[in-house]
Structures are given as structure tokens and as C-alpha cells.
Amino acid sequence: MLTIIWAGGQPGKISELRRMTQPEWEHLRNDLPANVKTFIDCDEDTILISHPDFSEKELFEISNFDGLKFSNGLIPVITKDEKGLFLMQAFSNLESLELSQKESLGIYFSRSRNQLWRKGDTSGHIQKLKRILAPKDGSFVVYEVEQEGAACHEGYYSCFFREQDKTGTKNLVPEIPFLGK
């Protein structure tokens, strides 16, 4: 499954988040307007679609997690820095959300390792959590963070360091610095 984020720019505001299969994405991708920018994350399982005309989804700061819509115990988390740059997308369970709030750090649930994942435990590139936001429908969560070092395990400040053109070619985004692993 892919996570697709619609945004009014990069940096920008979130318009929508949807989960879909690769074939669904390929069908949708063919219908996107020509002036849309498409950014692919490092693991190629999250796609950021950017266009300045996309409307902004209203987000609210949350302090409890009642009303969030977990699927199989997990909820998508979009992580942005204080300037609004999309850094990454991951998943959290209730425990990782509660720990993130308590410790003021970006803490997630690793689906591949089936365990909690504190961003920066091995790399030292931590995320100081400033706010937790969610849309009214509780379908996803946004961590607003102060990123120290690279958010991406590949060593880039953001996981969205490649833009994909209509032919499928992926090119580095010069505005996203490589900081080292």
C-alpha cells in the first residue's frame, strides 16, 4: 500500500491523505494535471503531490488521542518542520503517540521491525516535537518538529528528496540538502 499526500506546495499545507494500491496510484497518476509536482520518499511507499491550488485541510492541535481512526492499531503520521517542509511519513500506534507527547520527541511504530522507533536513536538525528495536529475526521496525525540533522535514513534533510516526472524519472531536489548519515 502507498500513502498519498496532497499538499499545497513543498513546503506547504496538507490537503488530503489517502492510502491506495500501486495500480490505483498508477491510474490516478495519469490523470494528474501537468503542473503538479510529485515527490517520492526514500522507501518509495509515500508520494507527495504538490500543487498551489490544492485546498488546505483544517488541522487542530490535539492533546488526547480520542477520536483518532486507527487501522490495525496504526495511524499515518506526517512529519513537518517548523517552516512547513514535509520531512517524512510513518505510522504510530497509541503507545508511540503517548510517548511522543510525554517525551516531546518524534516516536513512531516501525511496521518492519514490529516495535517502537524513536527517531534518532541510532543516527542522533532527533525530532523535537513541538505540536501534534489532526484533522477533525481523525484520519491521520501531523507531528510538527524541530528537526536536528537528517530526517531521512539516506542522509537527506527530508525523505522527499526526489521529484518524479511524468515519465517516471526521479531527479534530486536541489533544495533538500544531503546532511550525511
Side-chain angles (χ1 to χ4, degrees), residues 1-169:
M1 287 291 281
L2 298 172
T3 302
I4 312 297
I5 304 167
W6 279 259
Q10 168 64 325
K13 305 294 184 184
I14 298 165
S15 182
E16 184 180 353
L17 179 142
R18 266 197 278 165
R19 304 265 299 144
M20 64 180 63
T21 64
Q22 184 72 38
E24 289 171 325
W25 161 244
E26 293 301 329
H27 179 73
L28 174 68
R29 190 176 123 190
N30 293 330
D31 294 334
L32 292 174
N35 55 348
V36 163
K37 290 187 174 197
T38 303
F39 302 94
I40 308 298
D41 81 336
C42 52
D43 295 325
E44 298 192 6
D45 62 359
T46 303
I47 299 160
L48 175 64
I49 303 169
S50 171
H51 191 281
D53 291 344
F54 288 165
S55 62
E56 180 180 355
K57 189 167 195 85
E58 191 171 11
L59 300 174
F60 302 92
E61 190 164 358
I62 59 173
S63 57
N64 70 63
F65 307 113
D66 299 336
L68 293 181
K69 294 180 181 168
F70 293 86
S71 175
N72 297 320
L74 300 174
I75 191 165
V77 179
I78 300 168
T79 305
K80 297 174 67 174
D81 71 9
E82 294 169 301
K83 296 176 184 171
L85 189 75
F86 292 89
L87 299 176
M88 55 181 273
Q89 187 273 315
F91 291 87
S92 282
N93 62 9
L94 184 57
E95 182 183 12
S96 62
L97 288 169
E98 289 171 342
L99 285 170
S100 292
Q101 186 177 49
K102 179 181 175 188
E103 298 178 21
S104 297
L105 293 171
I107 303 171
Y108 306 90
F109 186 83
S110 170
R111 296 178 300 161
S112 60
R113 295 185 304 256
N114 197 34
Q115 66 184 30
L116 289 179
W117 161 42
R118 283 178 167 77
K119 187 71 175 145
D121 266 0
T122 56
S123 68
H125 300 213
I126 65 168
Q127 296 173 338
K128 293 181 180 176
L129 184 64
K130 299 301 180 183
R131 300 191 313 159
I132 302 175
L133 307 156
K136 188 177 263 188
D137 67 6
S139 58
F140 63 89
V141 172
V142 176
Y143 283 178
E144 249 181 41
V145 303
E146 178 185 327
Q147 178 67 44
E148 292 187 2
C152 179
H153 72 279
E154 296 286 331
Y156 290 88
Y157 180 72
S158 166
C159 291
F160 300 101
F161 62 89
R162 294 172 300 162
E163 184 175 354
Q164 186 174 28
D165 64 22
K166 287 286 189 182
T167 68
T169 303

